[in-house]
Amino acid sequence: MAVPPPPGIYVPVPTFFSKSDPKSSTTQAGIPPLDLATQTKHGLHLASSGIRGIVLLGSTGESIAVTNTERKTLISHIRQELDKAGYKDYPIIAGTATQGIEDTITQLQISKDAGAQWALVLAPGFFATCITQEGLKQWYTAIADSSPLPILIYHYPAVSNSLPLSPSTFTALSSHPNICGAKLSHGDLSLHTQLASSPLASMSDEKFATFTGLGQQLLPVLTVGGAGAIDGLAAIFPKTVVRLYELIKAGEIEEARKLQEVVARGEGLVVGYGVVGAKEGVRRVLGWESECRLPLVARMGEDAWGEWEGVVRELGEVERGA
């Protein structure tokens, strides 16, 4: 029986790419190479800031733009660097975003061999308008049957053609011995509640962990029994989001409410600008540059960033004091 990742705050880390060298014969336009040195610096910064684990090659990690060879290189490198720095067995969750069963299982095997301990499998939304809940149950079951890693179901309607996953689908899949949780990246607190507060043995905390993908929901989600968050803002302000988690778990609700309000405002940067917003925040706050792979273009521009400078300053003060 698969065991879910430990509760806490996780970061869906951006994949760092360096600038392409136009003179290099091995560089193709629009495909900047992996920047493993910066990836390592960021990963170690998160680990030392109280982040419980990281997601590599999730939606924020531009999974769909990374080859399987690069997947192996990236995960194995970060695993080795974490181990060398004293973070042995630090949780790594590998994301997948394919549409096919065979492709997904291939990526899961690569991730397992490279050192990941869990997988976050995005629901297949290409045919969303004609996919049934029964089809989804069969799809996830086929993957879980063959996966070398325990899997979490990833429900992110914004990148999955608004594909719905019903509570009964999660309930049915929770009984599979190789399915151990879910990440819900949407605002449906009813679904969070039905999963995290379910009385079913197959959805107990020991068997099935429900994570929100939105840090602006952390207080209500933990209140109904959620395990934590896999949160993009924590890539920029890790200590702040960890502090919020700790306040809630300690029952210091009034302080948690105040901090939750600031975090909720800051989360708009990542929700509104996605990968580009996360990378812009990391660049401006932490000083680590990264390109994106086309069709994404890194950089928000001064006017767009200016709208967030106020809350970024507030979050920076919290971060320094956390």
Side-chain angles (χ1 to χ4, degrees), residues 6-10 52 211 227-230 245:
I9 302 300
Y10 291 70
R52 192 65 184 85
F211 292 89
I230 301 173
Y245 175 86

Side-chain angles (χ1 to χ4, degrees), residues 117-142:
Q117 301 107 307
W118 291 272
L120 183 64
V121 178
L122 182 68
F126 189 87
F127 294 112
T129 56
C130 51
I131 292 176
T132 64
Q133 294 301 299
E134 180 58 32
L136 285 170
K137 285 186 278 189
Q138 291 185 28
W139 189 85
Y140 271 109
T141 297

Side-chain angles (χ1 to χ4, degrees), residues 16 105 147 150 161 169 208 211 234 245 259 267 274 284 306 317:
F16 289 83
I105 293 169
S147 174
N161 243 342
T169 296
F208 194 95
F211 292 89
Y245 175 86
L259 184 52
E267 293 282 356
R284 292 184 183 255
E317 291 173 3

Side-chain angles (χ1 to χ4, degrees), residues 30 32 39 66-67 84 93-95 108 158 186 198 203 210 213-214 216 227 245 247 319:
Q39 193 83 53
V66 174
T67 69
K84 284 197 300 185
I93 304 172
L108 295 177
H186 53 70
S198 173
M203 302 193 80
T210 301
L214 302 173
Q216 58 267 56
Y245 175 86
L247 286 170
E319 189 78 4

Side-chain angles (χ1 to χ4, degrees), residues 52-137:
R52 192 65 184 85
I54 56 175
V55 176
L56 295 175
L57 300 173
S59 49
T60 305
E62 297 176 70
S63 175
I64 59 172
V66 174
T67 69
N68 284 345
T69 299
E70 290 172 321
R71 170 179 291 267
K72 178 181 179 180
T73 299
L74 176 63
I75 296 174
S76 62
H77 180 83
I78 296 304
R79 172 84 281 157
Q80 291 167 14
E81 294 301 313
L82 285 167
D83 288 352
K84 284 197 300 185
Y87 297 101
K88 191 171 179 58
D89 300 323
Y90 188 77
I92 293 179
I93 304 172
T96 70
T98 70
Q99 302 295 307
I101 293 170
E102 186 175 9
D103 288 344
T104 303
I105 293 169
T106 296
Q107 290 193 356
L108 295 177
Q109 186 63 61
I110 292 169
S111 302
K112 163 74 172 178
D113 293 344
Q117 301 107 307
W118 291 272
L120 183 64
V121 178
L122 182 68
F126 189 87
F127 294 112
T129 56
C130 51
I131 292 176
T132 64
Q133 294 301 299
E134 180 58 32
L136 285 170
K137 285 186 278 189

Side-chain angles (χ1 to χ4, degrees), residues 299-313:
R299 308 292 184 270
M300 287 171 51
E302 294 303 321
D303 290 344
W305 178 256
E307 297 177 9
W308 300 98
E309 286 184 334
V311 69
V312 165
R313 279 195 298 271

Side-chain angles (χ1 to χ4, degrees), residues 4-309:
I9 302 300
Y10 291 70
V11 172
V13 297
T15 298
F16 289 83
F17 301 109
S18 59
K19 287 185 180 294
S20 300
D21 181 358
K23 297 179 181 179
S24 172
S25 61
T26 62
T27 298
Q28 183 173 340
I31 311 178
L34 295 174
D35 182 351
L36 296 177
T38 305
Q39 193 83 53
T40 298
K41 292 175 186 176
H42 187 242
L44 294 178
H45 172 67
L46 298 177
S48 67
S49 298
I51 294 299
R52 192 65 184 85
I54 56 175
V55 176
L56 295 175
L57 300 173
S59 49
T60 305
E62 297 176 70
S63 175
I64 59 172
V66 174
T67 69
N68 284 345
T69 299
E70 290 172 321
R71 170 179 291 267
K72 178 181 179 180
T73 299
L74 176 63
I75 296 174
S76 62
H77 180 83
I78 296 304
R79 172 84 281 157
Q80 291 167 14
E81 294 301 313
L82 285 167
D83 288 352
K84 284 197 300 185
Y87 297 101
K88 191 171 179 58
D89 300 323
Y90 188 77
I92 293 179
I93 304 172
T96 70
T98 70
Q99 302 295 307
I101 293 170
E102 186 175 9
D103 288 344
T104 303
I105 293 169
T106 296
Q107 290 193 356
L108 295 177
Q109 186 63 61
I110 292 169
S111 302
K112 163 74 172 178
D113 293 344
Q117 301 107 307
W118 291 272
L120 183 64
V121 178
L122 182 68
F126 189 87
F127 294 112
T129 56
C130 51
I131 292 176
T132 64
Q133 294 301 299
E134 180 58 32
L136 285 170
K137 285 186 278 189
Q138 291 185 28
W139 189 85
Y140 271 109
T141 297
I143 290 170
D145 283 346
S146 299
S147 174
L149 291 172
I151 69 172
L152 290 84
I153 301 165
Y154 187 13
H155 188 203
Y156 189 2
V159 299
S160 303
N161 243 342
S162 299
L163 178 71
L165 270 77
S166 69
S168 61
T169 296
F170 283 100
T171 298
L173 290 170
S174 70
S175 64
H176 194 288
N178 207 26
I179 294 177
C180 63
K183 177 188 177 184
L184 308 180
S185 291
H186 53 70
D188 186 354
L189 281 173
S190 175
L191 182 57
H192 284 78
T193 303
Q194 290 179 64
L195 302 190
S197 298
S198 173
L200 296 175
S202 64
M203 302 193 80
S204 67
D205 293 345
E206 296 75 23
K207 169 63 175 69
F208 194 95
T210 301
F211 292 89
T212 179
L214 302 173
Q216 58 267 56
Q217 297 181 157
L218 188 57
L219 176 54
V221 167
L222 289 184
T223 300
V224 299
I230 301 173
D231 176 58
L233 186 67
I236 310 166
F237 299 105
K239 293 179 182 179
T240 299
V241 182
V242 169
R243 175 62 177 158
L244 176 57
Y245 175 86
E246 291 173 343
L247 286 170
I248 300 167
K249 298 300 286 186
E252 299 180 32
I253 301 304
E254 284 306 311
E255 286 301 309
R257 287 177 61 189
K258 294 175 185 177
L259 184 52
Q260 179 71 90
E261 188 274 335
V262 181
V263 167
R265 283 189 282 122
E267 293 282 356
L269 171 65
V270 178
V271 171
Y273 289 89
V275 178
V276 174
K279 288 191 172 183
E280 188 76 9
V282 169
R283 180 175 76 89
R284 292 184 183 255
V285 175
L286 299 177
W288 291 317
E289 300 265 355
S290 177
E291 298 300 307
C292 291
R293 285 188 170 174
L294 293 174
L296 296 177
V297 178
R299 308 292 184 270
M300 287 171 51
E302 294 303 321
D303 290 344
W305 178 256
E307 297 177 9
W308 300 98
E309 286 184 334

